[in-house]
Amino acid sequence: MDKKNRTLYFGWFILLLLVFSIGWFFMGKFYDQQVLSQQSRYLEEKGELFLQLSNHKMDELETMIHEHPVDPGERLTGLDATGNILFDTYDSSLHGQRSDRPEIKAVLKNQTLGRSLRPSDTLKKSCFILRFQ
């Protein structure tokens, strides 16, 4: 009888451990989704404010951003209508075209907003990227 109870307790322990692990996994996914959603809304509002203050003119936007730098951990890259880099707040020598990026492709297809969570080649870390039209 003692061996039977130990086996039963061990079975319940494994079941509870499994339920706890699955719950923890889904809570982590939900938390990540909420953080990304909040960050997305924040960056959308901030980007729209920058665009409104600059009257949607890239040269005015670049001047304004240099006068009022973005927060640490944030980066702004100005692109023309075809995806060519006009300016970048992280690396001023950055140039070339970025039309192959998923967030740029979305905007070039006339969507108002392009989003992507992917590794940044420049920063060498995973970044949440938002692109406005």
Side-chain angles (χ1 to χ4, degrees):
M1 183 95 151
D2 192 30
K3 186 172 181 162
K4 184 178 179 183
N5 281 342
R6 275 191 265 159
T7 304
L8 184 63
Y9 287 137
F10 183 72
W12 277 108
F13 174 76
I14 295 297
L15 180 64
L16 289 174
L17 185 63
L18 183 65
V19 168
F20 176 78
S21 298
I22 290 170
W24 189 265
F25 172 78
F26 283 114
M27 284 184 352
K29 290 288 186 184
F30 176 75
Y31 174 79
D32 290 345
Q33 179 187 16
Q34 292 301 310
V35 168
L36 284 175
S37 176
Q38 290 174 5
Q39 187 67 16
S40 176
R41 280 193 304 273
Y42 166 74
L43 290 174
E44 284 176 42
E45 291 171 3
K46 189 171 186 176
E48 285 296 327
L49 178 64
F50 274 135
L51 288 173
Q52 287 174 1
L53 291 173
S54 67
N55 296 319
H56 291 265
K57 295 178 183 168
M58 279 297 158
D59 54 339
E60 288 182 27
L61 179 61
E62 184 177 9
T63 303
M64 184 176 58
I65 288 171
H66 287 299
E67 291 173 1
H68 308 284
V70 295
D71 294 332
E74 293 179 356
R75 173 183 177 191
L76 287 172
T77 304
L79 305 170
D80 66 13
T82 60
N84 291 314
I85 296 175
L86 301 174
F87 68 88
D88 185 80
T89 58
Y90 178 77
D91 181 1
S92 60
S93 67
L94 196 63
H95 63 282
Q97 189 169 70
R98 300 294 187 256
S99 60
D100 60 333
R101 309 280 169 87
E103 65 280 1
I104 307 300
K105 285 180 182 179
V107 174
L108 292 177
K109 290 180 181 176
N110 293 327
Q111 294 180 13
T112 57
L113 188 66
R115 294 183 191 146
S116 176
L117 179 60
R118 61 174 179 75
S120 168
D121 296 333
T122 308
L123 300 176
K124 306 293 187 233
K125 62 181 180 179
S126 186
C127 297
F128 178 68
I129 300 167
L130 199 63
R131 170 70 167 105
F132 292 93
Q133 183 172 5

